[in-house]
Amino acid sequence: MGHRFAGPHLPTRRAAMAVATTLAAAAALTACAAPGDAAPRIVNAADRSPLEFGGDPATRQLAALMQQDLDAGVPGVVVRVRTGDGRTISLAKQAAWTRADHRLSADDQFRMGSNTKTMVGVLVLQLVAEHRLALQDSVEKWLPGLVPGGRRITLKMLLNHTSGLFDYINDPTVLARETGADPSAVTPRELLAVAAQYPPVSAPGAQYGYSNTNYVALGMVLEKATRRHLADLLQQRIIGPLRLHDTYLAADGRSRDGAKPADAYEPDAEHLAPLLPPGAPEGTAFAGPARGEHVLVTSVNPAWSWAAAAVVSTPADEQRFLRALASGALLPPAQLAEMRKTVTENPGDPHSSRYGLGIEEYRSPCGPVWGHTGGMAGYSSQNYTDATGERAVSVVTTTLFGLHAPATGAADQEVVDAAICTMLGKPVPAGSR
């Protein structure tokens, strides 16, 4: 689901992964202006091959890397870059076999997975600024009896994943919901109860350990402190003020206003099995119509992810949100600075990403950027901005488990890093990956 994976805790997209089936693919390149971007200069990439981009080497490079991504096995990939001079590069590329389902566009809605956590972090810090919550409040104060050891776990520990709480998505019953095998409803309280069945993975505050349980608990705290539904809080405090017209919390799993996210795919049971972690239930498979060696998973209900990963959005909306956050439009300076106080994710690794309060600092080959990653069945995304909010980048890929094949994951991360370097106005360093 989130930042790490929409199922049992698997390697990240930045890890090396084995060869995936090469797919014959055809390009579907589009370009568009972003709503809310002031007079962007748009690179017109409509229906053109990478060699046709004339004097725009950055767009040629991105298009070529996106094609490599398709050749490695991804069904589709979208890149949107807002550069420092106000230019917007917007590209979409899809494998030929996916076109019968949907024509992929950079304007499509996507399930953004754990990018939801950054919005939830903003809500918590807004209430901290209003003295309605405190980062040192215990979980027990707000959710008495629901979280084992809650007296020693603070809201800050939930925000930066140092609570030590077991990640409920590692439970087999939740995996069945993630794959669509079990479409039944589940409440946030029930998700906390799933996590409570397992011992903590570390002592509170001792170390970083990514857990979606933390953000389900934070969502419940927000609702108790405000007596408002989480979806309403997001609309009132973030979505409405920023005019994010294509963003909403899929709290009940339903699409809004008849629109639905772009079609997305996961490997069928045979091709999924090698990508699952040890201990995954035998026969794990995604529910949905067959598409050759894939399954169309757009209809899998994401409601179980709630405050951890249920936001649907577009690259343009995600970038508007992150730019507003980085520029100080959503939080007072003290809370924004607190949000950027990070802990290392991989101690001992000098290149390790670092995690703040709902936001991640990714140390790309071209420099640090701020944002988050997200993963849900069929969708993987990375959304970042620079420290000032002047630049932004989004990469969305229409598969998640499929990226756990080494060649596919590596090719996809090349696209991400090249897009970040383009955002920062820097060439991709040779041999950076």
Side-chain angles (χ1 to χ4, degrees):
M1 134 197 301
H3 170 248
R4 292 301 174 262
F5 200 62
H9 192 79
L10 300 181
T12 74
R13 294 177 55 182
R14 296 175 191 134
M17 309 172 196
V19 180
T21 305
T22 298
L23 302 176
L29 296 174
T30 59
C32 60
D37 283 344
R41 289 177 20 237
I42 304 163
V43 174
N44 183 6
D47 299 319
R48 298 164 69 188
S49 75
L51 297 178
E52 292 182 89
F53 290 120
D56 187 34
T59 306
R60 288 202 308 271
Q61 180 186 38
L62 285 173
L65 288 172
M66 291 167 72
Q67 183 61 52
Q68 290 180 23
D69 207 5
L70 264 64
D71 292 342
V74 304
V77 59
V78 162
V79 173
R80 189 180 192 278
V81 180
R82 160 88 178 199
T83 63
D85 62 1
R87 181 176 53 136
T88 297
I89 301 172
S90 192
L91 304 171
K93 231 178 196 323
Q94 67 188 121
W97 59 267
T98 69
R99 289 187 179 184
D101 290 322
H102 176 79
R103 184 76 177 208
L104 188 65
S105 166
D107 292 326
D108 282 337
Q109 294 179 355
F110 301 93
R111 291 182 182 137
M112 289 293 181
S114 279
N115 290 281
T116 304
K117 292 180 173 67
T118 308
M119 292 186 176
V120 170
V122 167
L123 293 179
V124 172
L125 288 166
Q126 285 179 344
L127 294 186
V128 169
E130 296 165 14
H131 305 291
R132 300 171 70 179
L133 292 175
L135 290 177
Q136 296 309 316
D137 283 349
S138 72
V139 176
E140 182 69 14
K141 173 181 176 179
W142 291 101
L143 306 177
L146 296 185
V147 176
R151 287 185 175 83
R152 298 177 57 208
I153 299 172
T154 66
L155 300 188
K156 184 173 183 178
M157 293 175 191
L158 297 179
L159 285 162
N160 68 8
H161 296 294
T162 59
S163 69
L165 292 176
F166 177 84
D167 191 341
Y168 70 85
I169 66 171
N170 290 320
D171 179 86
T173 65
V174 179
L175 176 60
R177 288 189 163 90
E178 297 168 50
T179 61
D182 179 2
S184 63
V186 62
T187 66
R189 182 182 286 258
E190 289 170 334
L191 293 174
L192 288 189
V194 168
Q197 299 173 22
Y198 297 87
V201 296
S202 64
Q207 63 186 43
Y208 171 89
Y210 193 87
S211 175
N212 292 282
T213 307
N214 293 325
Y215 278 75
V216 170
L218 286 167
M220 295 179 69
V221 170
L222 285 166
E223 291 197 335
K224 188 165 186 180
T226 62
R227 299 185 180 181
R228 300 286 302 274
H229 291 300
L230 179 62
D232 294 335
L233 290 172
L234 288 168
Q235 181 65 41
Q236 175 192 12
R237 289 173 171 264
I238 296 175
I239 295 171
L242 295 181
R243 302 190 303 280
L244 307 181
H245 300 303
D246 294 305
T247 299
Y248 61 97
L249 183 75
D252 57 3
R254 298 176 183 173
S255 298
R256 190 185 65 180
D257 298 331
K260 71 179 183 69
D263 281 327
Y265 307 86
E266 292 296 356
D268 64 14
E270 178 184 352
H271 296 88
L272 177 65
L275 307 178
L276 293 172
E282 187 175 350
T284 295
F286 281 92
R291 295 292 187 269
E293 297 176 351
H294 292 80
V295 176
L296 178 65
V297 297
T298 317
S299 62
V300 172
N301 188 337
W304 54 268
S305 59
W306 194 52
V311 159
V312 173
S313 190
T314 63
D317 274 8
E318 277 287 339
Q319 291 182 11
R320 183 191 285 265
F321 163 67
L322 285 176
R323 290 174 60 206
L325 174 59
S327 66
L330 290 173
L331 291 173
Q335 279 67 48
L336 182 57
E338 193 70 38
M339 192 176 205
R340 288 174 169 168
K341 292 180 180 178
T342 61
V343 295
T344 185
E345 297 180 10
N346 299 299
D349 178 1
H351 303 293
S352 172
S353 295
R354 299 183 63 87
Y355 205 92
L357 306 188
I359 198 167
E360 183 181 45
E361 181 189 30
Y362 170 46
R363 298 183 174 183
S364 82
C366 288
V369 290
W370 292 90
H372 217 288
T373 65
M376 292 288 290
Y379 305 89
S380 182
S381 58
Q382 299 196 42
N383 296 281
Y384 300 110
T385 183
D386 64 356
T388 67
E390 293 180 4
R391 302 169 176 84
V393 65
S394 300
V395 177
V396 183
T397 308
T398 55
T399 189
L400 178 62
F401 282 70
L403 297 181
H404 286 255
T408 312
D412 201 62
Q413 190 60 40
E414 274 196 72
V415 174
V416 173
D417 287 335
I420 291 172
C421 291
T422 300
M423 173 189 78
L424 297 174
K426 299 179 180 180
V428 180
S432 62
R433 292 286 165 189

